[in-house]
Amino acid sequence: MMYLKDGGSILTKDSVERMFFDNVPEQEEEAYYGMGWEYLKNADGAWIMQHTGLVENYCALMYINPKENKAGAVLVNMNDYLVTNMFLGNIIAPLLGQTAKDSSKMVFILHAIIDLVCFALIVLALYPVITLKKWKSKNKKIFADIFLHLLVPLILLLPVQSIAPLFVIRMFAKDLWLVLLSTSFLLVAAGMYKMIYSMYRWRCIK
């Protein structure tokens, strides 16, 4: 209400305008960021102000449409960083004259894809541990082992680290963090065991 009333009795109109319009361009076209507020066009082409924020188990969205004198806030005691947060704008869309999209199927599909990827990573990490006995009796494929036990953990962690530090992933997507770390740890541990065993066998043969 304070913002819709140009600051009311709390802030001056000039202060509110500086918060909104003393801004810098963002990477997206026709989107600007000021003092905590984004100034951008919504799906219908109307200029609005918005601010979003989240912590480990809570997220919030605020929108202001000054032309239509409308505003709204959504406070949700959950944080599904990888999927559902993308669709929280549907809650407030009708207040801004927009049509909420039915995203229930997409939420299910995205979660299913993430679950399948995590399951595949866990199987990949457990396979060399389960098959160690068989590995001992076969000809050793050193390049395959280097790829599996060294390069795969690096491939799992480095791209993720470049997107967000691991401590941030731990805060906002703890299940994914556990899968990445446990998978990488098992692969590296199995690789170290294979290396030590191979060195021991080589010494015994020599």
Side-chain angles (χ1 to χ4, degrees), residues 1 5 19 29 69-70 79 84 98 110 120 125 166 176:
M1 294 301 297
K5 294 179 179 179
M19 290 177 71
E29 291 186 11
N69 201 39
K70 291 180 179 179
N79 181 9
T84 312
Q98 302 172 15
L110 290 174
L166 286 174
L176 180 62

Side-chain angles (χ1 to χ4, degrees), residues 42 77 91 117 181:
N42 65 12
N77 58 341
I91 299 173
V117 170
L181 258 64

Side-chain angles (χ1 to χ4, degrees), residues 19-51:
M19 290 177 71
F20 289 155
F21 304 118
D22 279 2
N23 48 36
V24 294
E26 294 185 344
Q27 291 182 347
E28 298 83 0
E29 291 186 11
E30 296 186 299
Y32 305 88
Y33 190 81
M35 299 181 187
W37 287 95
E38 284 184 295
Y39 182 55
L40 70 167
K41 283 187 177 181
N42 65 12
D44 298 326
W47 285 96
I48 64 169
M49 268 70 74
Q50 75 170 26
H51 178 85

Side-chain angles (χ1 to χ4, degrees), residues 86-163:
M86 294 186 292
F87 306 108
L88 288 178
N90 279 347
I91 299 173
I92 206 167
L95 298 175
L96 298 174
Q98 302 172 15
T99 302
K101 299 176 182 179
D102 182 8
S103 56
S104 55
K105 290 182 180 178
M106 184 58 67
V107 169
F108 175 80
I109 291 171
L110 290 174
H111 273 292
I113 291 172
I114 292 170
D115 290 342
L116 285 173
V117 170
C118 290
F119 178 74
L121 290 175
I122 292 170
V123 171
L124 177 68
L126 289 176
Y127 178 78
V129 176
I130 296 170
T131 59
L132 269 176
K133 188 175 181 180
K134 186 183 292 185
W135 172 85
K136 292 178 181 180
S137 62
K138 287 187 174 183
N139 292 328
K140 311 300 183 286
K141 298 177 180 178
I142 187 168
F143 291 108
D145 284 335
I146 289 174
F147 176 78
L148 180 62
H149 299 292
L150 179 62
L151 294 182
V152 170
L154 289 176
I155 291 170
L156 288 176
L157 295 178
L158 289 182
V160 173
Q161 181 73 13
S162 65
I163 296 171

